[in-house]
Amino acid sequence: MPASVSDPYDLAVLGAGAAGLAGAVTAAELGLSVALLDAAPQTGGQFYRHPAPAFGAVRPEALHHDWAAFAELRRRLERSDIRRLSGHHVWAVTKEDGDLWAVHAVTGPDGTGEQAVRVRARTILLATGAYERQLPFPGWTVPGVVGAGGAQAMLKSGLVLPGKRIVVAGSGPLLLAVASSLAAAGAQVPAVIEASGYLGYARHPGALAANPRKLVEAAVHGAALLRHRVRLRTRSAVTEVHGTDRVAAVTVTRLDRDWRPVRGTGRRIACDALAVGHGLVPQIELATALGCATRRTADGTSALALNAHQETSVCGLWAAGETGGVGGAPLARTEGELAGLAAAARLHGRPADEGRVRALRRRRDRMRAFADAMAAGHAPAAGWTDWLTDDTEVCRCEEVTAGTLREAVSDLGARDARTVKLLTRAGMGWCQGRMCGTAAACLAAGDGAAEPPAERRPFAVPVPLSALASSDDSTGGRPDAVPPVDD
Amino acid sequence: MLSRRSSDVIVVGAGVVGAACAYYASRAGLSVTVVDRGPVAGGTTGAGEGNLLVSDKEHGPELDLALLSTGLWQELAELLPPQIEFEPKGGLVVAADETAMRALRDFAAGQRTAGVRADEIPADRLRELEPHLTPGLAGGFHYPQDAQVMPALAAAHLLRAGGDRVCLRLGEEVTGLLTTADGAVRGVRTAVGEVSAPYVVNAAGTWGGDFARLAGVALPVLPRRGFVLVTEPLPRVVRRKVYAADYVADVASGSAALQTSAVVEGTAAGPVLIGASRERVGFDRTLSTEVLRRLAAQATALFPVLAGVRAMRTYVGFRPYLPDHLPAIGPDPRVPGLLHACGHEGAGIGLAPATGLLIARSLSGAEPPLDPGPFHPARFDAEAAV
Amino acid sequence: MARTPAELAGANPGASFEITMDGRPVPALPGQSVAAALWSAGILAWRTTRTTGRPRGAFCGIGQCYDCLATINGEPNRRACLVPASPGDAITTQEGHGHARIGV
């Protein structure tokens, strides 16, 4: 703990998922004063999302792989004197005089609390995870259509399903995990529809040789899917949802190698829900606002460019986990630990334990390589926009159709994502382009190659004007507005 | 790759001023090529609130330009599609105390002599006009001639309205001005090739000084940074553009230091826009929580209902500022064939049509709609450091 | 093989309580978000959009899409997938921006 409420912390960790927990406990165990901020009441981020204690769930690990690793991190957290700030939604990080960072947050379960919080720290670890990438299609706004990761998140924390007969679709290794979770929880899952030709672990056990844990995961998923009679269809996509106020069925169409729908191959599947997603997008707006360099990932998103020690291009700002490129929980834990070691080394003015660092880097590099190989197989190909009709809503928040976006390009001279947004309002709504950013960038690119969205959002979360207006002298040293629920 | 194209005039800059120049030139029968290193509305136009104001301008040449321009916007609003969100909503300037009220009265008296309509609103009637205004203000002035537009869409549609006479070359950076042996303009060189025309208009806004330098002349345009807060979508809670009396002083100030005053308006799309800040910090885009704190505090002081409303985003823009607060409009005597149309500070959207018309009249040799003398581009030469 | 999610996780929640959706009672379990409670009652939409008036509810499940915005106890635009359900919570269908009360 800092000596007084106005002293800065040595390290502020943003995000209490796998990477943030690992970074925080590593740094704290090396003697740093650490503040750990997260929007949720519980730790675990998205990967280790679990029901609140009030549920009395005795087998939370039934919905998780590698629960033991998380439980261990939680134990270390409890034994530390890390200052936990749950229910804190960070909207910006700024540099202050004297080389300190200021972390600006709003509070409450959904960030609507009146209290404005500013936490000062000498170093920052950004472990803000990722959100799900979406590619719009006709009918995707009908109730019953939910994110694939979203369905899993609601299941993990709320123990609920969006329907009884759920088609899982989109692209990426997450789909199999989602399908097996939903099926294990009692849903019928008639099919998993994968747009690429590659179904990850289930089809290419050879790629898993260097990553034995993944082999186990694959076997578990594969077996579960067989047992629940889930059909896997590659090179296909849901190109239409039927039903006006509720999903009644979907049409699945074959795709060519360019993800263009092949005419005449549409087949209907009756269902009452659709769980859809196309991989994950690193959540990096807090860093891009500070000018951190980014890199393009193998599946076409933007991730933070990090050096061997997990530091961003901005001195004193480290990142770990999905923010550096999506790669799963074990990679996140490894990177979090590396970042914690690096921050401590910087502040102590002496290098970290070489052997420990070397082992971690070896593990990280191996897992990163695997993650990149996986990602490359699922990058969306340019032809997907063919399945958009002119009246398909692309921007859900502002209800902007594909036709409007296409017109901005063809008639109004928009040639880049920012101008398309300016001329159509796509991306100007509540979610600030998270759901439609990829699609808008693809439509703006026309026949050219789409740039990954820049992920620039000066406010990471909407901020009540009263919170902005307050002189926010608080440094987060007082008791939480939302007490930690858990763990 | 060399490409030789011929137009009557090249306009450098595809923002609202460049678009207006292109439009009125095309209406005068001229063929126009608009060149911009970025997209349409890629500069300050894309960061503007869309103010079409007479209320904040004192009696003088800028006000005359604004009155002319306001009338032109009304004509354009009938011609251009409704997507430009033109709203002749009027403006309300409010005073916190009697001193400010007296200053507003004097200001309005001067403006009236130029043809501005300004109606004094006593304190007890303010909330008839704006029900959500805080009680306790000393009074205000209502300016029915103020209006609002969506700047980027207005620029885009203005460019389209020029029809076949206007050719757009976007994503193409101008790297030099081409002149004949005796120094007259014959076109521009871009990263892609050459475009030839006997006239070139500098509508490069905040980068107008940079372009002038390429042409070998000085135009001391400096960036004046402003932040805008954008709220969540709301029903109409503010009927007009409402701003505090100290806004006018901020606009007219030559100070480089941070100045903020409350400016609040609704939009057709739903969010309320909150401004206004001015400071000279070069082109620094870094978020300033202090500026945002001031903007939020001032806006919620004027409209307490906004305290519980959330800001979804903020954006930053750089107004093109010239030392005497008047734009540079018209032919440059130092380079025959070069004209300037930039330096409008925070009034570019409002003043764009009048600027475009002045330029078009100059190009076609017709009578200007008002005396262009005060906007003479070479007027800084005596003081300017090159 | 579990037949329900609760079975899978071996959940033994405290007593369920009631919230309401447009006056209709909806059971909720301690620890559930408002969105989860509504899902468990088969309610997938609790607002209509600003422009076309179409129904929306939770989509991304993690508070990033803002489709789940709900009016809870009269307060509009609460992210239902993040806000925990409390006994007696009254959810009412939100129309558009949810701020009709302050419109002039």
Side-chain angles (χ1 to χ4, degrees), chain A residues 46 49 52 54-60 62-63 89 109-112 130-131 134 140-141 143-147 150 153-155 157-162 181 184-186 228 245-246 283 393 396-399 430-431 434-435 461-462, chain C residues 1-14 29-33 35-37 39-40 42 44-45 47 49-67 69 75 77-79 81-84:
Chain A
Q46 301 312 333
R49 223 169 214 263
F55 267 107
V58 298
R59 282 193 309 275
L63 289 161
H89 306 248
D110 59 343
T112 55
Y131 64 93
Q134 295 295 341
W140 75 309
T141 51
V145 181
V146 300
M154 293 289 287
L155 173 60
S157 58
L159 302 184
V160 287
L161 296 166
S181 300
H228 294 290
D245 288 345
R246 174 78 206 237
Q283 183 103 258
E393 279 171 325
R396 298 174 67 100
C397 297
E398 296 293 302
E399 304 170 81
W430 280 100
C431 92
R434 287 181 180 89
M435 297 298 111
V461 103
Chain C
M1 189 161 81
R3 273 163 303 167
T4 68
E7 232 177 89
L8 180 64
N12 188 19
L29 295 175
Q32 273 184 329
S33 65
W39 272 25
S40 70
L44 299 184
R47 74 175 181 96
T49 58
R50 248 158 63 225
T51 308
T52 61
R54 295 278 208 352
R56 298 282 177 89
F59 176 72
C60 80
I62 61 171
Q64 295 299 340
C65 75
Y66 296 79
D67 247 354
L69 295 179
E75 238 190 281
N77 302 308
R78 307 296 306 278
R79 280 179 281 172
C81 74
L82 297 180
V83 176

Side-chain angles (χ1 to χ4, degrees), chain A residues 405-421:
Chain A
L405 287 163
R406 283 168 172 149
E407 245 171 51
V409 174
S410 60
D411 295 355
L412 297 181
R415 301 150 97 248
D416 61 292
R418 177 192 175 261
T419 309
V420 156
K421 169 175 159 178

Side-chain angles (χ1 to χ4, degrees), chain C residues 16-20 24-28 86-89:
Chain C
S16 87
F17 54 88
E18 243 173 42
I19 66 175
T20 60
R24 213 182 99 203
V26 169
S86 290
D89 274 345

Side-chain angles (χ1 to χ4, degrees), chain B residues 228-324:
Chain B
V228 175
L229 279 171
V230 184
T231 72
E232 58 180 283
L234 296 171
R236 198 177 62 165
V237 295
V238 180
R239 291 171 174 159
R240 298 163 185 74
K241 171 176 212 78
V242 179
Y243 60 92
D246 47 320
Y247 176 75
V248 179
D250 286 357
V251 175
S253 162
S255 170
L258 173 65
Q259 290 155 306
T260 60
S261 60
V263 178
V264 184
E265 65 198 358
T267 60
V272 161
L273 302 180
I274 294 169
S277 74
R278 289 175 149 78
E279 49 185 337
R280 295 222 307 271
V281 291
F283 283 100
D284 186 358
R285 305 189 72 91
T286 313
L287 191 83
S288 164
T289 51
E290 175 55 19
V291 173
L292 300 184
R293 188 193 62 74
R294 290 208 214 179
L295 294 183
Q298 287 168 338
T300 52
L302 263 193
F303 289 97
V305 73
L306 292 177
V309 161
R310 276 169 278 178
M312 282 194 307
R313 64 190 185 102
T314 181
Y315 58 83
V316 71
F318 299 95
R319 305 175 186 83
Y321 163 83
L322 280 169
D324 60 1

